[in-house]
Amino acid sequence: TQSTRPQRLLHAVQKNATRGDPRSVVKAIDNFCRQKEWAMNVGDEKGCILDSVVSEVNPVTVLELGTYCGYSTVRIASLLPPRAKIITLEFNPDYAKIARQVIAWAGLEDKIQVVEGPSGEWIPKMKEQFGVKTFDLVFLDHWKDRYLPDTKLLEDCGLLRKGSILLADNVICPGTPDYLEYVRNSPRYKSQYFKSHLEYTKAEDGLEKSVFLG
Ligand SMILES: CNc1ncnc2c1ncn2[C@@H]1O[C@H](/C=C/CNC(=O)c2cc(-c3ccc(F)cc3)cc(O)c2O)[C@@H](O)[C@H]1O
Ligand SMILES: [Mg+2]
């Protein structure tokens, strides 16, 4: 049977990356997406901005919405301090399966919890199921029309604290207009746009970093 793109991406990792070396996994995926097949990873250019925000925040508890193949999950986890953890939500079981193998190849299983299911169901269960108090950093990279409802859900569930950082991918392309309008106009956020390019292309895209003010 015909393989899927995520399966071919995983094979490129297993063929070209060194087991236990997260940076080589990131490099292998970026090379695959540049040379072979485009895929919707945050990519190397926006990835550097992601790295700088993660390093600056130095988060202990991270939430990622939309794992896909685990590219940004590995990127983030490789920068986390020893006891820090990332919980990443993915509702497509085939993608979750690929992501777990990419994460295992990077040797980052101990820092990453892949949770299979929809964000709308799992966000309200974060405290009771995973003992999470609040998230220091949230990376939004799932369906673009879900960024705003899930942000409001995080607020309502008391999962954000004064200083929590939301970092959103694709605020230009494909675009998240209702989310942008909210975080840029709400008195509860201080927002900043990092201009970049759509992964592996010359099209404009960017990341929006928003600090929750409580
Ligand atoms: C709604 N709740 C949810 N809960 C858990 N997982 C969810 C999810 N929504 C979506 N997902 C998962 O996140 C992932 C979805 C990501 C959606 N991303 C995009 O559409 C996207 C799309 C582009 C894109 C840009 C230009 C273009 F021409 C074509 C595509 C670029 C990106 O960087 C993107 O992130 C999948 O793995 C999906 O199964
Ligand atoms: Mg994206």
Side-chain angles (χ1 to χ4, degrees):
T1 54
Q2 177 60 22
S3 68
T4 65
R5 179 167 306 181
Q7 281 169 334
R8 294 192 292 273
L9 180 149
L10 171 63
H11 293 149
V13 166
Q14 293 167 335
K15 180 164 171 280
N16 304 307
T18 308
R19 257 190 177 287
D21 176 358
R23 301 315 297 177
S24 75
V25 168
V26 168
K27 199 100 211 90
I29 295 172
D30 284 329
N31 289 340
F32 174 77
C33 294
R34 277 193 185 289
Q35 293 155 18
K36 300 281 187 329
E37 303 183 60
W38 187 92
M40 59 181 176
N41 316 119
V42 73
D44 41 1
E45 193 181 315
K46 287 186 288 178
C48 286
I49 301 167
L50 172 61
D51 290 354
S52 59
V53 171
V54 173
S55 303
E56 175 202 338
V57 175
N58 221 6
V60 174
T61 316
V62 182
L63 174 67
E64 176 179 62
L65 301 176
T67 316
Y68 188 43
C69 296
Y71 173 92
S72 48
T73 328
V74 165
R75 242 190 131 114
I76 294 167
S78 70
L79 297 172
L80 294 182
R83 274 166 313 291
K85 289 254 185 284
I86 175 168
I87 295 174
T88 182
L89 303 185
E90 175 51 60
F91 66 13
N92 180 313
D94 301 324
Y95 294 163
K97 197 162 167 287
I98 297 290
R100 290 184 204 281
Q101 294 172 82
V102 167
I103 288 160
W105 198 267
L108 290 170
E109 307 93 315
D110 300 350
K111 301 178 101 58
I112 299 167
Q113 172 132 34
V114 178
V115 177
E116 253 178 82
S119 50
E121 272 175 41
W122 278 104
I123 287 172
K125 295 180 187 165
M126 281 295 149
K127 294 190 182 226
E128 69 187 280
Q129 295 283 327
F130 304 104
V132 169
K133 273 174 52 55
T134 54
F135 288 107
D136 304 312
L137 172 67
V138 181
F139 182 56
L140 300 94
D141 196 19
H142 58 331
W143 289 163
K144 308 315 161 193
D145 62 358
R146 296 291 312 177
Y147 283 24
L148 182 53
D150 283 349
T151 296
K152 290 182 171 173
L153 190 55
L154 285 164
E155 289 174 15
D156 297 346
C157 295
L159 286 164
L160 301 180
R161 52 134 175 107
K162 198 178 175 58
S164 289
I165 304 285
L166 302 184
L167 188 65
D169 189 27
N170 311 116
V171 296
I172 303 299
C173 178
T176 62
D178 59 344
Y179 172 81
L180 268 193
E181 200 274 332
Y182 180 71
V183 290
R184 289 178 174 176
N185 297 305
S186 162
R188 304 185 76 184
Y189 291 91
K190 176 92 187 69
S191 222
Q192 184 183 2
Y193 174 59
F194 292 82
K195 184 178 160 82
S196 183
H197 294 93
L198 175 68
E199 49 268 27
Y200 319 116
T201 78
K202 292 184 166 40
E204 181 180 344
D205 190 19
L207 300 177
E208 188 82 2
K209 177 188 168 198
S210 308
V211 187
F212 185 61
L213 302 173

